[in-house]
Amino acid sequence: MGLISEVTPISYNDDLPERADVVVIGGGVIGVSSALCLAEAGLTVALFEKGRVAGEQSGRNWGWIRQLGRDDAEMPIMMEANRLWQGMAGRIGADVGFRTEGIIYLAESEAAYAAHEDLLDTANRHQLMVERLSRADVDGLIQGRPGFWAGGLRCPGDGRAEPWIAVPMMARALKDRGASLHENCAVRALDISAGRVSGVVTERGLVKADAVLIAGGAWTSLFLQHHGILFPQLSVRATVARTARAPNVYGGGAADSALAFRRREDGGYTVAFTDHFDFFLGRSAFRSAFYFAKSAWASRRSIALRPAAPAGYPDAWFTQRRWGEDDISPFERMRVLHPTPTPGATERIRKRMSERLPALADTPIAESWAGMIDILPDTVPTMDSVPGFDRLWLASGFSGHGFGIGPAAGRIMADLIQGRTVEHDLTRFRFDRFTDGSSIQLGPLI
Ligand SMILES: Cc1cc2nc3c(=O)[nH]c(=O)nc-3n(C[C@H](O)[C@H](O)[C@H](O)COP(=O)(O)OP(=O)(O)OC[C@H]3O[C@@H](n4cnc5c(N)ncnc54)[C@H](O)[C@@H]3O)c2cc1C
């Protein structure tokens, strides 16, 4: 497969430019999509990635491109993202593995089926085509244990793609459009002159820019803390596995309250828990506890508390919060955040898979990995400028569903940076919603 880690060779090591119209921090789907739109609009763009393009969340996720189960305010953006994914291969001249095979929210019981009503209401409000499935419908669509699921909701227009192919291919298209790309090159800090952001200080030197976009995934909060800016973002560990080639039991993605599975282009399945995330306590966790009270309560059954993150993680106890521009920063100390899977998870995932999908009972698990999902207190992202810092933009906190929406988030950020009108209502995604006295409106949980 292609899980990208620190041992993956560097693909981009361009000469450091003196300046760019826009500097983008982070080579995940959000940074790359934003940079691609900016480069297509004719701007000079320099993208900095401390490790490897798609090395973190954007290359470790399930590959679901789903509209179903989105927050009301995200839905129109996600519907646009779906259209952008459909045109991606033509746009960048490379197959990203996008297939419209439909995603199913499965329910093991009538009660769980009823709990999906909210999702259906949201879909209906946005004229998103969703099918209600009976027990027999599910049995007809998924070659699983007959009668195991009481029903489900299926969005036939939802899709899947291969993250570790898609994002690197988009980065290649970005390079073809003239952007400079810099892997293994961390941005240590913002360069600020006369109260304006005038560029960035990278580990290789200063780059001036008219605008800077932070798309640093799980590291965004730490980066901002260094400049005294509060961004209440935390991370949870999620474990994923892939099977060897397997019989085709369903061509899209599906999940119930315990297991998610998704057909892969290599003929296997990506499989994962839907009810287990590890949360490592750290200094930011305590500082942001107030903001996360609602989401912590809502997800209390699926979160396992761990006393400390491994050394070097963004919220590990001893990770530096302040550093000088000439010092090695925490971003260089951990090039690729590469968590070990939750102990025992692979075997438990396999067991759940065999219970539900007997046709896969003899299919071996070929690999397992984990990723740190960055989350915000209301489980929707921030896409905005950073108040008090002229020409500083931020797109982060996609809370477990940023891969699918990435191309549209990128288009939005590119429009904002160029001062163009954005057709979507972005009020829900404003930066200061956690500090302006608004109450936290929890979106659908990850
Ligand atoms: C296990 C798992 C399953 C998921 N499943 C899905 C799914 O099926 N569908 C979906 O839509 N979403 C899913 N997600 C969520 C999705 O992957 C993320 O929301 C999305 O990838 C976030 O993209 P990003 O660009 O914001 O962050 P990332 O992909 O994490 O990229 C941020 C990058 O910024 C770099 N960086 C940080 N700080 C600096 C710095 N100072 N200098 C230079 N570079 C820096 C990092 O190295 C990193 O590569 C899943 C996530 C995980 C972990």
Side-chain angles (χ1 to χ4, degrees):
M1 93 138 207
L3 194 65
I4 297 154
S5 75
E6 214 157 317
V7 295
T8 308
I10 291 171
S11 303
Y12 305 103
N13 190 14
D14 289 336
D15 291 340
L16 202 71
E18 265 178 38
R19 73 165 300 282
D21 292 331
V22 184
V23 159
V24 175
I25 305 174
V29 68
I30 304 301
V32 170
S33 299
S34 307
L36 189 58
C37 293
L38 289 163
E40 285 170 344
L43 275 74
T44 57
V45 181
L47 181 139
F48 292 92
E49 166 52 57
K50 67 180 172 59
R52 303 291 185 279
V53 165
E56 298 196 349
Q57 297 175 84
S58 296
R60 289 164 189 267
N61 64 70
W62 298 353
W64 286 35
I65 296 176
R66 68 173 165 82
Q67 301 159 98
L68 192 56
R70 293 271 167 181
D71 184 86
D72 222 13
E74 264 187 14
M75 188 63 100
I77 302 173
M78 186 57 223
M79 290 168 88
E80 182 195 339
N82 191 283
R83 293 191 291 276
L84 288 171
W85 276 112
Q86 287 179 36
M88 191 61 80
R91 176 178 171 195
I92 66 170
D95 186 7
V96 294
F98 179 75
R99 308 286 178 259
T100 313
E101 295 274 359
I103 285 178
I104 310 179
Y105 274 56
L106 294 161
E108 295 98 318
S109 64
E110 294 300 333
Y113 190 57
H116 288 336
E117 281 302 315
D118 283 1
L119 309 186
L120 194 56
D121 289 348
T122 310
N124 288 341
R125 267 198 301 283
H126 295 273
Q127 288 90 48
L128 176 71
M129 225 275 261
V130 174
E131 301 162 348
R132 277 172 189 271
L133 304 179
S134 65
R135 200 179 290 271
D137 294 334
V138 174
D139 284 350
L141 280 164
I142 298 178
Q143 195 196 327
R145 186 175 295 285
F148 187 89
W149 292 289
L153 285 183
R154 177 172 187 262
C155 177
D158 278 352
R160 58 174 166 90
E162 303 303 337
W164 42 88
I165 298 173
V167 181
M169 284 299 158
M170 288 157 70
R172 184 182 295 176
L174 172 63
K175 175 78 190 142
D176 292 345
R177 283 154 179 75
S180 73
L181 268 73
H182 311 267
E183 286 182 311
N184 241 23
C185 188
V187 173
R188 290 179 173 165
L190 299 167
D191 179 52
I192 299 174
S193 8
R196 284 185 56 132
V197 172
S198 47
V200 293
V201 181
T202 77
E203 62 183 282
R204 290 192 212 140
L206 177 69
V207 178
K208 290 285 181 188
D210 294 339
V212 173
L213 170 64
I214 305 174
W219 300 88
T220 300
S221 178
L222 182 64
F223 186 85
L224 291 175
Q225 259 180 63
H226 178 67
H227 290 281
I229 307 168
L230 171 77
F231 184 57
Q233 174 200 40
L234 298 173
S235 308
V236 291
R237 177 175 67 177
T239 297
V240 192
R242 74 174 170 98
T243 70
R245 282 185 76 81
N248 188 353
V249 294
Y250 179 59
D256 63 20
S257 64
L259 186 82
F261 53 97
R262 192 267 294 174
R263 185 74 173 164
R264 299 163 55 96
E265 283 300 281
D266 62 11
Y269 280 87
T270 292
V271 279
F273 291 135
T274 51
D275 63 348
H276 184 101
F277 302 96
D278 296 295
F279 178 65
F280 300 104
L281 288 171
R283 280 193 264 168
S284 299
F286 281 97
R287 215 184 29 219
S288 313
F290 164 76
Y291 300 102
F292 280 90
K294 256 191 192 170
S295 69
W297 179 253
S299 49
R300 63 195 179 283
R301 290 198 183 86
S302 54
I303 300 279
L305 277 187
R306 311 275 171 205
Y313 278 37
D315 194 28
W317 290 104
F318 299 108
T319 295
Q320 274 175 287
R321 267 56 178 184
R322 296 287 158 127
W323 52 91
E325 289 174 358
D326 296 327
D327 301 338
I328 294 177
S329 68
F331 313 114
E332 295 145 81
R333 293 187 199 280
M334 177 141 312
R335 295 281 177 197
V336 179
L337 190 48
H338 186 37
T340 50
T342 305
T346 312
E347 198 36 52
R348 281 188 286 141
I349 290 173
R350 215 185 103 74
K351 192 161 168 275
R352 289 180 180 185
M353 182 178 85
S354 307
E355 269 164 26
R356 289 160 175 75
L357 305 165
L360 305 190
D362 295 327
T363 306
I365 297 284
E367 188 179 17
S368 63
W369 66 92
M372 295 301 289
I373 300 181
D374 70 316
I375 43 170
L376 289 182
D378 49 7
T379 67
V380 293
T382 293
M383 295 184 272
D384 200 356
S385 57
V386 178
F389 289 77
D390 200 20
R391 305 298 290 157
L392 179 62
W393 300 89
L394 182 137
S396 198
F398 282 77
S399 304
H401 48 268
F403 176 65
I405 209 169
R411 200 198 52 75
I412 287 172
M413 294 317 298
D415 282 351
L416 286 173
I417 290 168
Q418 291 173 87
R420 293 189 182 162
T421 310
V422 175
E423 254 100 72
H424 301 292
D425 180 358
L426 300 180
T427 314
R428 177 100 165 102
F429 311 112
R430 68 196 189 284
F431 188 92
D432 59 9
R433 66 187 188 272
F434 304 116
T435 50
D436 67 1
S438 316
S439 66
I440 292 191
Q441 306 294 325
L442 203 55
L445 290 175
I446 53 170

